């Protein structure tokens, strides 16, 4: 593994979306954002080693709300504490309703070289239903501006399996997305999470059945393939090998440091996470992040992680990592296949990956 | 001072909830045998479970002195009786130890099925029956009605019956005076050879088995060598005494007419069977007491730990329970589906439920109990007669020339408004109508002959629900009858799940089979492939359902490197795995078996 990755969690948003259970807050003041920047720097400063960094990811929330200036300041600060490689992938998540051309230009100049744009759907009705603050048209102009600002690595996020969404609706959204020629697509099925407006309304919403959702997934896989995308992870598709290097790093069990409220780290054989809320984190950026006390991942756990993370990708895991008998059974069921020395989940297998992994690990 | 004329041995008999235990407490309290503040609610029921269910499972006895109005002090022995139909034999042995029985009748409910059953048993034992009308404090009490029912239905005079409230402690003295005046003093001769009846026993880890006896004739002293006439076991008596409310009160000897205990370093409770006669080795009585029966289990089921690794714990627990309950029998059994467990025999369904509950509660075990079975009698084509209580041992139908199932005579007392639905229900359960009597204008007694296997299959609960809880049930076995039986098998993915097989009447096979495959379909989580669930008789499938293949089990997102969710999921899978039964590639959680085996509705 070449270097570590850095994740920065920016828990601010214009308003909470109806499906979102991540930690983020609307209506945060400028003063709080300054304090947050301060805290992020303190935490980053606390790691003594000057490690090589292969990817940086600013996620949220809506990191664009942090403001171009703070984002640049933070990235610059990171460069003083870590050795961020020249070819490092530096991603910013943006909400298409919050950015304009000058903003994107300044970030590109600051060194960001990849954008992950929260498109979610190509249909305004669905966007409104999801509680998004933008329209499909704003996604299109966001992508155009990004290209103009010099971003040549753009990913779009989409959600499917929405209540009431037909296969045709999904196909429309995908075609809209393909028309924007993104280098990467992340397409997630809607997950009903506790504490979200959707969860509260769940009894009045009609969610697709397992079979309907599977049908949509199969459609998604077929259309993405047709459009020239490689399905390299359960929810990820890339053109011309433009994988999300940052995410691959997670799945390959690379080391990473998470800065910010609720951010997770995997470092020095340990996993740990920060204060889960903004106030707690600002008050004590190093608090929960006492990696010295964190428990070391033992051998079994480490093996389990190798298997369950590795099998998220289409590259799979070395066959010798898992017992042969269940693997053969999964292959016979069409849920896994051999890829050279590796075994990997098939697209059908991706849909039931938890159960398959259970069969292999237990 | 020993004076046989001053001894009164009596039981209290009643229908469940008519106040037996409460009256016992009041009697002890009134005579000063226990202080009120020492009285745990309902002293005689000293098992948690009994207290909770309001029923007495095991007999207990207590001796107390009462200074009567005639100025004399009497030694009263109260021998408690188990209150449920499953323990009929134990009740009869307890009654044999007495000369009288206090028959409690609830002034709000009148005579019930068990009141009758117990009263008849007392009559059969030539006991003096003293009716007592209880719960007169309740607004709905009708003492005249209750007395009339005692006279009309049971046929004993009730004009002078004490009317009491055991709960409020009202007129308790009347009951004590009645006992002294009406219950005959025991007969018996302390000089004759020893003849003592065992009516209960329990295991004490220091003393060994503590045997409760009623001395009929003769004298039992410390140091005597005794023999159990039926089991033949011989022991040297270490300790004898009478039974205090909280203690064993040591004495030198027990004489004819007295009730008490002895210990003799007895290790195995099976050596002290209820109903056996104790005599002296050097000076034996020629004849044992009549009426001895070995307790016969009537209901059988497999008991398996939900978590297969708890087999050893289950074994220990069963052994511990057996120390105090010789009627519980069990042997190891292996099921392909459920792994290692035990096949256990019980006196009846309640006995089974009690054991099951005690295992779960007192020993903290989580169990899968297979469908209760009775003992079937099969005449094979070669003329051999075999008895089968385990569906796994059911022979090939080709080899059976005649199948027979146990029949009981069931007495059901129900408010008249439910007679129609109770009759329909008995008919549905293959009952044969024998008789119906109106006990009064509001209640009727129905007599049916029923297959026992219909009774063990959730009969009582359903009966209760059909009669808003008012019906009462009593039954006794009356032998075997020819029947059309089949063994119904359940197959998952084409493989036979032995633990779910059961023996059923041919007419009921289809509906039961249908129900079970539907329940399995609803309770087996989706697997990675389509799973057929079938019910079959012999090789012939009579019902089929399909558990569809799982189509979604995935965490779409692993965000910001937070893999805790994924890990929690794996932990959950690991936990679940412990309770998972696998055969071939099919995995079924214990819960699915429990759901299927718990027949909570009619079928």
């Amino acid at each position: 593994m070449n270097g570590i990755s850095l994740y920065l969690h920016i828990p601010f948003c214009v308003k909470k979306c109806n499906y979102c259970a991540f930690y983020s807050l609307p209506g945060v003041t400028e003063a709080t954002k300054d304090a947050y920047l301060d805290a992020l720097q303190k935490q980053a400063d606390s790691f003594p080693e000057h490690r090589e960094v292969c990817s940086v990811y600013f996620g949220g929330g809506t990191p664009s709300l942090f403001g171009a200036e703070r984002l640049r300041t933070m990235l610059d600060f990171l460069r003083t504490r870590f050795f961020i490689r020249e070819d490092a992938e530096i991603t910013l998540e943006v909400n298409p309703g919050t950015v304009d051309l000058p903003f994107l230009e300044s970030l590109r100049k600051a060194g960001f070289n990849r954008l992950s744009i929260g498109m979610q759907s190509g249909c305004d009705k669905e966007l409104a239903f999801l509680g998004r603050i933008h329209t499909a048209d704003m996604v299109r102009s966001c992508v155009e501006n990004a290209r103009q600002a010099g971003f040549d690595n753009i990913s779009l996020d989409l959600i499917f399996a929405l209540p009431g969404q037909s296969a045709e609706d999904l196909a429309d959204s995908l075609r809209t997305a393909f028309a924007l020629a993104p280098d990467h697509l992340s397409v997630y099925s809607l997950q009903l999470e506790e504490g979200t407006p959707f969860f509260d309304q769940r009894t009045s919403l009609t969610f697709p059945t397992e079979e309907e959702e599977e049908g949509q997934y199969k459609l998604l896989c077929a259309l993405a393939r047709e459009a020239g995308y490689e399905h390299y992870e359960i929810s990820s598709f890339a053109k011309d090998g433009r994988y999300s290097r940052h995410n691959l790093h997670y799945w390959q069990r690379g080391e990473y440091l998470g800065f910010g409220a609720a951010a997770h780290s995997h470092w020095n054989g340990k996993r740990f996470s920060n204060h889960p809320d903004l106030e707690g984190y600002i008050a004590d950026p190093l608090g929960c992040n006492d990696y010295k006390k964190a428990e070391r991942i033992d051998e079994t756990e480490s093996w389990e992680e190798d298997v369950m993370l590795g099998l998220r990708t289409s590259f799979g895991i070395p066959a010798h990592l898992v017992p042969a008998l269940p693997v053969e059974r999964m292959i016979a069921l069409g849920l896994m296949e051999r890829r050279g020395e590796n075994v990997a989940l098939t697209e059908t297998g991706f849909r039931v990956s938890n159960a398959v992994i259970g069969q292999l690990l237990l | 001072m020993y004076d046989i004329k001053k001894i009164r041995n009596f039981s209290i008999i009643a229908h469940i909830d008519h106040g037996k235990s409460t009256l016992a407490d009041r009697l002890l309290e009134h005579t000063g045998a226990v202080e009120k503040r020492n009285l745990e609610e309902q002293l005689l029921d000293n098992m948690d479970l009994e207290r909770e269910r309001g029923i007495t499972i095991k007999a207990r006895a207590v001796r107390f002195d009462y200074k009567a109005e005639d100025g004399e002090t009497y030694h009263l022995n109260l021998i408690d009786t188990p209150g449920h139909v499953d323990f009929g034999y134990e009740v009869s042995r307890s009654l044999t130890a007495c000369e009288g029985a206090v028959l409690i009748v609830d002034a709000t409910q009148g005579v019930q099925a068990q009141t009758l059953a117990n009263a008849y048993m007392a009559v059969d034992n030539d006991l003096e029956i003293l009716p007592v009308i209880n719960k007169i404090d309740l607004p709905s009490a009708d003492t005249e009605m209750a007395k009339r029912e005692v006279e009309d239905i049971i046929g004993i005079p009730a004009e002078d019956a004490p009317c009491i409230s055991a709960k409020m402690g009202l007129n308790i003295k009347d009951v004590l005076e009645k006992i002294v005046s009406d219950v005959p003093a025991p007969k018996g001769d302390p000089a004759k050879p020893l003849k003592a009846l065992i009516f209960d026993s329990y295991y004490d880890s220091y003393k060994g088995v503590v045997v409760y006896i009623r001395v009929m004739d003769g004298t039992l002293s410390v140091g005597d060598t005794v023999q159990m006439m039926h089991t033949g076991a011989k022991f040297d008596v270490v300790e004898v005494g009478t039974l205090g409310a909280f203690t064993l009160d040591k004495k030198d000897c027990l004489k004819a007419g007295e009730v008490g205990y002895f210990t003799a370093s007895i290790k195995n409770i099976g050596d002290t069977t209820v109903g056996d006669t104790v005599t002296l080795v050097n000076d034996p009585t020629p004849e044992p007491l009549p009426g001895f029966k070995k307790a016969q289990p009537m209901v059988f089921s497999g008991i398996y730990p939900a978590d297969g690794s708890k087999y050893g714990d289950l074994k220990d627990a069963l052994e511990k329970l057996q120390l105090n309950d010789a009627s519980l029998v069990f042997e190891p059994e292996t099921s392909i589906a459920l792994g290692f467990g035990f096949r256990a025999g019980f006196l009846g369904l309640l006995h089974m439920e009690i054991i099951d509950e005690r295992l779960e509660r007192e020993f903290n075990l989580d169990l899968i109990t297979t469908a209760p079975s009775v003992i079937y009698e099969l005449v094979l084509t070669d003329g051999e007669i075999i008895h089968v209580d385990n569906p796994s041992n059911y022979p090939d139908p080709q080899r059976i020339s005649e199948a027979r199932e146990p029949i009981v005579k069931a007495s059901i007392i129900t408010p008249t408004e439910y007679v129609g639905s109770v009759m329909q229900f008995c008919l549905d359960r293959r009952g044969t109508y024998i008789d119906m009597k109106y006990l009064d204008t509001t209640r009727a007694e129905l007599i049916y002959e029923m297959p026992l296997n219909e009774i063990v299959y959730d009969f009582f609960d359903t009966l209760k629900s059909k009669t808003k809880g008012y019906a009462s049930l009593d039954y006794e076995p009356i032998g075997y009858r020819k029947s059309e039986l089949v063994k119904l098998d359940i197959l998952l993915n084409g493989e036979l799940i032995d633990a779910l097989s059961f023996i059923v009447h041919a007419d009921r096979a289809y509906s039961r089979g249908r129900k079970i495959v539907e329940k399995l379909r609803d309770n087996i989580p989706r697997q990675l492939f389509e799973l057929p669930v079938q019910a079959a008789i012999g090789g012939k499938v009579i019902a089929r359902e399909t558990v569809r293949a799982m189509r979604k089990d995935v965490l779409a997102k692993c965000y910001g490197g937070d893999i805790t969710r994924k890990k929690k999921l794996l932990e959950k899978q690991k936990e679940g795995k412990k309770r998972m039964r696998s055969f071939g590639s099919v995995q079924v959680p214990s819960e699915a078996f429990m759901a299927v085996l718990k027949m909570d509705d009619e079928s």
Side-chain angles (χ1 to χ4, degrees):
Chain A
M1 205 74 52
N2 293 317
I4 64 169
S5 291
L6 303 177
Y7 175 75
L8 291 95
H9 191 64
I10 312 295
F12 312 133
C13 56
V14 175
K15 75 176 262 292
K16 290 291 285 185
C17 298
N18 292 334
Y19 55 88
C20 175
F22 291 118
Y23 182 66
S24 80
L25 303 166
V28 173
T29 63
E30 293 304 304
T32 305
K33 289 177 185 173
D34 285 338
Y36 194 68
L37 175 63
D38 214 46
L40 286 175
Q41 295 185 346
K42 265 189 203 138
Q43 196 198 350
D45 205 24
S46 73
F47 287 91
E49 294 169 54
H50 195 80
R51 296 278 294 267
E52 185 177 321
V53 170
C54 59
S55 74
V56 183
Y57 196 107
F58 284 69
T62 302
S64 35
L65 288 185
F66 204 30
E69 190 50 36
R70 289 191 195 91
L71 289 169
R72 192 185 52 74
T73 307
M74 190 62 216
L75 185 55
D76 286 347
F77 182 82
L78 291 176
R79 290 185 197 282
T80 67
R81 289 296 174 275
F82 299 90
F83 170 63
I84 298 180
R85 278 192 347 225
E86 207 164 314
D87 65 348
E89 175 191 274
I90 304 174
T91 306
L92 177 69
E93 252 178 25
V94 298
N95 182 315
T98 61
V99 293
D100 54 14
L101 182 59
F103 176 91
L104 292 168
E105 281 173 334
S106 72
L107 287 171
R108 183 69 195 89
K109 266 191 210 99
F112 287 92
N113 54 27
R114 186 174 181 268
L115 286 183
S116 169
I117 300 173
M119 171 176 175
Q120 316 310 0
S121 165
C123 161
D124 285 345
K125 227 173 94 188
E126 285 176 5
L127 288 170
F129 172 73
L130 290 168
R132 300 291 294 177
I133 57 165
H134 59 86
T135 61
D137 209 43
M138 288 158 87
V139 175
R140 190 185 40 76
S141 64
C142 180
V143 173
E144 280 167 9
N145 287 336
R147 294 284 183 212
Q148 200 178 330
F151 283 98
D152 66 352
N153 193 354
I154 293 175
S155 176
L156 297 177
D157 271 9
L158 285 144
I159 300 182
F160 76 103
L162 307 181
Q165 187 183 36
S166 69
E168 201 39 48
D169 294 338
L170 173 63
D172 281 346
S173 272
L174 288 169
R175 280 190 280 265
T176 307
F178 297 146
L180 298 172
D183 305 275
H184 185 276
L185 277 172
S186 295
V187 191
Y188 304 109
S189 59
L190 178 69
Q191 309 221 4
L192 189 59
E193 306 279 1
E194 243 177 283
T196 62
F198 278 168
F199 189 82
D200 299 334
Q201 304 157 23
R202 66 190 179 283
T203 48
S204 56
L205 296 173
T206 312
F207 292 91
T209 62
E210 285 189 21
E211 279 75 12
E212 285 165 351
E213 195 179 317
E214 188 197 30
Q216 292 198 359
Y217 187 73
K218 288 273 160 72
L219 175 71
L220 155 69
C221 297
L223 291 180
R225 192 160 41 237
E226 221 171 88
Y229 291 86
E230 178 188 350
H231 189 181
Y232 75 99
E233 189 260 353
I234 292 175
S235 309
S236 311
F237 303 82
K239 209 165 211 174
D240 306 326
R242 310 209 69 169
Y243 310 127
S244 164
R245 278 155 54 193
H246 184 81
N247 284 340
L248 271 183
H249 191 81
Y250 291 149
W251 301 321
Q252 293 166 352
R253 289 192 69 228
E255 286 184 298
Y256 51 89
L257 291 171
F259 303 137
H264 289 247
S265 302
H266 173 221
W267 201 57
N268 260 347
K270 295 172 177 183
R271 291 191 183 273
F272 45 91
S273 62
N274 299 345
H275 276 295
D277 62 294
L278 191 61
E279 294 77 40
Y281 180 75
I282 289 174
D284 179 19
L286 314 184
C288 270
N289 171 24
D290 193 345
Y291 57 87
K292 284 175 191 138
K293 279 191 203 146
E295 254 183 71
R296 194 162 283 280
I297 302 166
D298 67 27
E299 227 171 280
T300 312
E301 240 182 307
S302 158
W303 166 66
E304 288 168 354
E305 289 184 5
D306 275 336
V307 173
M308 70 189 184
L309 293 172
L311 284 176
R312 292 194 68 88
T313 69
S314 62
F315 317 117
I317 52 172
H320 67 78
L321 272 188
V322 280
L325 205 66
V327 169
E328 288 309 325
R329 221 165 50 217
M330 295 303 115
I331 290 175
L333 289 170
L335 301 172
M336 290 183 87
E337 60 193 4
R338 296 193 180 282
R339 304 251 163 92
E341 296 293 294
N342 278 14
V343 286
L345 292 171
T346 59
E347 282 180 347
T348 313
F350 278 154
R351 292 297 303 156
V352 289
S353 57
N354 292 338
V356 175
I357 289 165
Q359 295 282 322
L360 302 181
L361 288 184
L362 305 178
Chain B
M1 275 309 287
Y2 171 74
D3 178 358
I4 197 167
K5 293 193 194 65
K6 298 285 164 56
I7 299 174
R8 296 291 181 272
N9 297 321
F10 71 102
S11 283
I12 305 177
I13 54 182
H15 189 71
I16 286 179
D17 286 343
H18 281 193
K20 185 172 74 173
S21 302
T22 316
L23 176 59
D25 288 354
R26 290 298 165 268
L27 294 178
L28 297 180
E29 197 183 293
H30 192 90
T31 56
V34 294
E35 302 262 336
K36 196 167 185 168
R37 64 191 151 79
N38 283 341
L39 253 181
E40 256 183 279
E41 269 294 291
Q42 301 184 357
L43 202 66
L44 281 173
D45 289 350
N46 43 21
M47 288 189 227
D48 280 355
L49 199 67
E50 290 176 20
R51 198 161 300 133
E52 216 160 279
R53 289 186 169 230
I55 51 172
T56 309
I57 296 165
K58 292 282 287 173
R60 290 284 181 268
V62 59
R63 169 177 158 146
F64 54 101
D65 291 343
Y66 173 62
K67 193 163 191 297
E69 283 183 339
D70 64 9
E72 300 283 344
T73 297
Y74 291 84
H75 304 302
L76 274 50
N77 286 300
L78 165 56
I79 297 170
D80 198 18
T81 56
H84 189 272
V85 33
D86 285 355
F87 303 98
Y89 175 69
E90 268 117 329
V91 175
S92 83
R93 294 306 89 193
S94 291
L95 294 181
T96 308
C98 304
E99 282 74 37
V102 171
L103 174 71
I104 304 183
V105 177
D106 186 319
T108 67
Q109 293 187 9
V111 172
Q112 295 288 323
Q114 282 159 28
T115 323
L116 256 187
N118 288 330
Y120 290 152
M121 216 183 277
V123 171
D124 290 346
N125 279 287
D126 294 326
L127 299 196
E128 185 66 31
I129 300 179
L130 315 180
V132 167
I133 312 301
N134 191 20
K135 304 201 187 177
I136 59 164
D137 57 306
L138 296 181
S140 57
D142 185 343
T143 54
E144 286 315 308
M145 175 275 296
K147 284 183 178 179
R148 208 166 47 242
E149 283 193 5
V150 171
E151 294 189 342
D152 294 351
I153 300 170
I154 305 176
I156 52 173
E159 202 35 58
D160 299 336
C163 295
I164 67 162
S165 163
K167 196 170 140 218
M168 315 294 285
L170 217 61
N171 302 336
I172 302 302
K173 197 175 160 64
D174 295 354
V175 181
L176 288 162
E177 284 299 322
K178 268 276 181 204
I179 291 168
V180 167
S181 64
D182 288 15
V183 174
K187 296 186 185 72
D189 182 351
K192 277 189 171 174
L194 177 67
K195 185 185 270 192
L197 171 78
I198 301 179
F199 64 88
D200 196 12
S201 62
Y202 71 91
Y203 187 82
D204 178 283
S205 39
Y206 297 104
K207 297 176 195 239
V209 179
V210 177
V211 190
Y212 284 23
I213 53 165
R214 154 71 196 273
V215 182
M216 297 302 188
D217 276 317
T219 301
L220 175 68
S221 308
V222 173
D224 286 345
T225 303
V226 293
Q227 178 163 28
M228 315 295 162
M229 295 183 76
H230 287 281
T231 65
K234 291 176 194 173
F235 299 99
D236 293 329
V237 174
V238 174
E239 195 178 309
V240 300
T242 55
L243 304 157
F246 299 107
T247 50
L248 298 174
D249 302 328
K250 283 191 206 173
K251 296 261 162 25
D252 298 329
C253 63
L254 283 174
K255 293 182 176 174
E258 288 189 301
V259 171
Y261 76 96
F262 76 90
T263 69
S265 304
I266 303 170
K267 292 282 164 278
N268 179 3
I269 200 155
D271 287 333
T272 55
T273 319
V274 168
D276 204 347
T277 304
V278 184
T279 194
L280 294 182
V281 171
N282 328 349
D283 182 16
T285 180
E287 289 287 329
L289 292 157
F292 176 80
K293 269 198 298 190
K294 198 159 165 40
Q296 283 296 343
M298 302 210 345
V299 178
F300 296 80
S301 81
I303 301 181
Y304 294 86
D307 172 352
S309 66
K310 296 276 166 67
Y311 172 79
D313 296 0
L314 175 58
K315 182 164 184 278
D316 292 348
L318 280 167
E319 279 167 357
K320 281 203 180 109
L321 288 183
Q322 199 179 38
L323 281 180
N324 277 316
D325 185 353
S327 53
L328 168 67
V329 295
F330 61 90
E331 56 183 33
E333 176 182 74
T334 313
S335 151
I336 299 159
L338 301 179
F340 293 106
F342 294 92
R343 185 105 195 138
F346 310 93
L347 297 175
L349 206 58
L350 179 85
H351 187 212
M352 177 173 117
E353 277 174 27
I354 288 166
I355 296 292
D356 212 47
E357 250 183 271
R358 291 188 66 184
L359 287 171
E360 300 212 348
R361 232 192 270 187
E362 293 170 30
F363 298 92
N364 210 11
L365 291 164
D366 210 356
L367 302 175
I368 304 176
T369 311
T370 65
S373 172
V374 299
I375 306 178
Y376 297 95
E377 189 171 272
L378 304 173
V379 184
L380 303 182
T381 44
D382 62 6
E384 191 193 348
I385 293 178
I386 59 167
H387 290 92
V388 173
D389 69 70
N390 188 342
S392 305
N393 301 334
Y394 201 76
D396 183 337
Q398 308 276 319
R399 286 183 54 217
I400 303 171
S401 73
E402 184 176 312
R404 299 169 185 157
E405 63 178 327
I407 305 293
V408 298
K409 183 176 148 203
S411 151
I412 298 165
I413 293 183
T414 173
T416 47
E417 59 198 291
Y418 303 116
V419 163
S421 63
V422 171
M423 289 177 91
Q424 184 58 49
F425 176 54
C426 290
L427 193 67
D428 291 347
R429 292 296 179 98
R430 300 192 287 127
T432 308
Y433 172 85
I434 300 298
D435 193 13
M436 177 170 82
K437 279 185 283 213
Y438 279 92
L439 302 179
D440 53 40
T441 51
T442 58
R443 279 165 333 124
E445 182 188 21
L446 294 163
I447 308 287
Y448 273 83
E449 287 180 5
M450 309 264 316
L452 179 61
N453 98 348
E454 297 288 345
I455 301 257
V456 301
Y457 188 72
D458 202 32
F459 184 86
F460 190 52
D461 288 346
T462 313
L463 179 67
K464 280 278 186 192
S465 74
K466 285 195 178 294
T467 57
K468 299 215 163 68
Y470 284 113
S472 54
L473 167 74
D474 196 79
Y475 63 82
E476 54 177 315
I478 55 171
Y480 279 85
R481 200 165 286 170
K482 187 179 172 192
S483 179
E484 292 300 317
L485 299 173
V486 293
K487 181 189 169 205
L488 189 70
D489 292 321
I490 302 296
L491 295 90
L492 283 188
N493 208 26
E495 286 185 59
L496 189 137
I497 308 307
D498 55 358
L500 294 178
S501 296
F502 56 93
I503 299 164
V504 63
H505 190 264
D507 292 350
R508 306 285 299 274
Y510 178 74
S511 61
R512 292 267 306 262
R514 179 89 251 141
K515 196 112 209 161
I516 288 191
V517 294
E518 281 168 12
K519 271 198 167 186
L520 278 169
R521 177 201 60 202
D522 296 341
N523 283 286
I524 295 178
R526 289 180 170 208
Q527 311 276 315
L528 285 166
F529 46 87
E530 194 170 271
L531 177 68
V533 183
Q534 298 159 306
I537 298 171
K540 190 171 163 259
V541 172
I542 59 164
R544 181 197 154 114
E545 289 290 332
T546 305
V547 180
R548 285 184 296 169
M550 176 196 297
R551 291 289 171 230
K552 183 189 180 187
D553 185 12
V554 57
L555 289 181
K557 211 164 179 172
C558 240
Y559 196 79
D562 177 4
I563 65 162
T564 49
R565 245 193 193 200
K566 190 87 191 111
K567 289 192 137 183
K568 270 183 202 149
L569 190 81
L570 186 66
E571 286 315 307
K572 230 174 105 187
Q573 285 176 316
K574 281 184 190 166
E575 260 329 288
K577 171 97 173 177
K578 287 189 195 157
R579 302 171 59 83
M580 207 66 92
R581 307 288 168 168
S582 16
F583 15 95
S585 47
V586 183
Q587 293 185 320
V588 180
S590 294
E591 284 68 19
F593 284 112
M594 292 179 192
V596 173
L597 291 167
K598 185 170 164 277
M599 285 302 167
D600 46 7
D601 49 11
E602 259 189 272
S603 58

